[in-house]
């Protein structure tokens, strides 16, 4: 399993939110480029960049994303980029800018015809991101709850040539209470694609438990940014 630091961008800063709530920001670092370099210095080889402003239609950090992707790839890291990606043109631009993978959320979940075309056009380069609250998928920047169980969604996505499925337990995100192991285990069993887990991951024990349950990767946020997880130790143990 690979551990992947999250770089969540809001108003040009690197932030961490709790429970997917924009009014509950716990971490703000004003130099995302320095943050990116630090994670790479500690030994991480893959980064997860998300434009929160674009995801919630509050704005865009596209120039900053491009700069972070360029810096990361120059230093040898793979980068997956997400947040408000709703067109194939945007996917193509991000890949051209150097992103290895593109993460698509709301439109991929709600518009399967579009997803089929995008996945066929960019096979093995798209990760579908499903934000989940109590096993229900939430879209549009966590504002809309769909009557869909994530396991059903995972099974439906098996037909597409995806790079992976990212599942974020929004109800645990940033709370440092441990991850939803049962949820992630169920999704890993249902999905034919590599599953990335996010939300609530707090300790090395959490990471090892996810790996034991067949999860391919873990997106790390609050625990890394607050020092609850030792970044260097995590990077050494969870590299692939």
């Amino acid at each position: 399993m690979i551990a992947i630091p999250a770089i969540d961008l809001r108003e040009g800063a690197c932030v961490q939110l709790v429970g997917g709530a924009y009014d509950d920001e716990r971490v703000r670092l004003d130099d995302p480029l320095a943050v990116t370099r630090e994670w790479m210095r500690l030994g991480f080889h893959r980064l997860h960049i998300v434009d929160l402003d674009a995801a919630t239609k509050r704005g865009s950090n596209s120039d900053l994303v491009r700069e972070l992707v360029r810096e990361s790839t120059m230093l040898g890291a793979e980068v997956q980029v997400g947040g408000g990606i709703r067109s194939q043109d945007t996917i193509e631009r991000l890949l051209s800018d150097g992103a290895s993978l593109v993460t698509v959320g709301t439109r991929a979940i709600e518009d399967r015809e579009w997803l089929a075309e995008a996945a066929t056009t960019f096979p093995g380069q798209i990760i579908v991101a499903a934000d989940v609250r109590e096993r229900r998928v939430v879209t549009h920047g966590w504002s809309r709850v769909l009557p869909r169980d994530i396991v059903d969604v995972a099974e439906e996505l098996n037909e597409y040539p995806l790079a992976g499925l990212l599942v974020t337990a929004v109800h645990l995100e940033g709370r440092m209470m441990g991850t939803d192991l049962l949820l992630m285990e169920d999704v890993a069993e249902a999905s034919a694609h590599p599953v990335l887990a996010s939300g609530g991951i707090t300790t090395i024990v959490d990471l090892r438990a996810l790996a034991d349950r067949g999860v391919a990767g873990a997106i790390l946020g609050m625990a890394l940014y607050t020092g609850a997880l030792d970044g260097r130790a995590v990077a050494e143990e969870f590299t692939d």
Side-chain angles (χ1 to χ4, degrees):
M1 188 177 79
I2 186 170
I4 309 168
I7 300 176
D8 296 340
L9 303 175
R10 179 183 184 185
E11 301 166 342
C14 180
V15 304
Q16 285 292 296
L17 308 180
V18 175
Y22 249 61
D23 58 354
D24 200 350
E25 180 182 296
R26 299 291 177 88
V27 173
R28 173 174 284 256
L29 300 171
D30 292 328
D31 190 347
L33 189 58
V35 174
T36 299
R37 290 169 176 159
E38 176 63 10
W39 295 141
M40 297 184 66
R41 185 187 69 80
L42 291 176
F44 291 100
H45 302 298
R46 187 162 157 189
L47 301 173
H48 178 70
I49 298 174
V50 178
D51 187 341
L52 295 177
D53 293 322
T56 56
K57 298 183 178 180
R58 287 175 165 87
S60 173
N61 296 279
S62 60
D63 290 342
L64 176 57
V65 169
R66 185 177 297 110
E67 183 180 6
L68 295 177
V69 169
R70 184 183 301 115
E71 178 74 10
S72 302
T73 54
M74 279 179 45
L75 295 175
E78 289 188 336
V79 183
Q80 55 193 56
V81 179
I85 298 169
R86 304 176 181 91
S87 73
Q88 290 195 44
D89 287 345
T90 303
I91 295 171
E92 184 172 11
R93 176 179 57 77
L94 288 168
L95 293 173
S96 296
D97 286 343
S100 301
L101 302 165
V102 175
T103 303
V104 183
T106 294
R107 187 162 190 188
I109 296 294
E110 296 186 349
D111 186 345
R112 294 300 172 79
E113 183 176 344
W114 178 85
L115 175 61
E117 183 177 354
T120 301
T121 304
F122 307 101
Q125 294 180 290
I126 292 177
I127 296 171
V128 170
D131 292 343
V132 178
R133 184 176 282 118
E134 305 297 345
R135 300 186 74 97
R136 299 295 182 187
V137 177
V138 294
T139 59
H140 295 273
W142 315 295
S143 65
R144 181 180 301 174
V145 181
L146 303 182
R148 309 291 306 287
D149 187 287
I150 181 56
V151 171
D152 295 333
V153 172
E155 291 174 345
E156 293 167 5
L157 293 174
N158 286 340
E159 65 180 282
Y160 304 104
L162 304 173
L165 172 61
L166 166 59
V167 177
T168 298
V170 177
H171 52 291
L172 295 174
E173 191 172 19
R175 300 188 188 281
M176 297 180 61
M177 297 168 58
T179 189
D180 192 330
L181 284 175
L182 181 58
L183 168 70
M184 300 304 175
E185 182 177 23
D186 288 348
V187 175
E189 289 180 354
S191 179
H193 305 298
V195 171
L196 308 180
S198 177
I201 300 167
T202 308
T203 67
I204 286 283
V205 173
D206 290 336
L207 289 167
R208 291 170 181 161
L210 287 169
D212 289 344
R213 286 160 174 78
V215 173
I219 310 297
L220 304 178
M222 191 72 77
L224 273 183
Y225 282 91
T226 60
L229 277 172
D230 182 325
R232 189 178 297 280
V234 170
E236 288 177 356
E237 183 170 348
F238 299 97
T239 57
D240 53 34

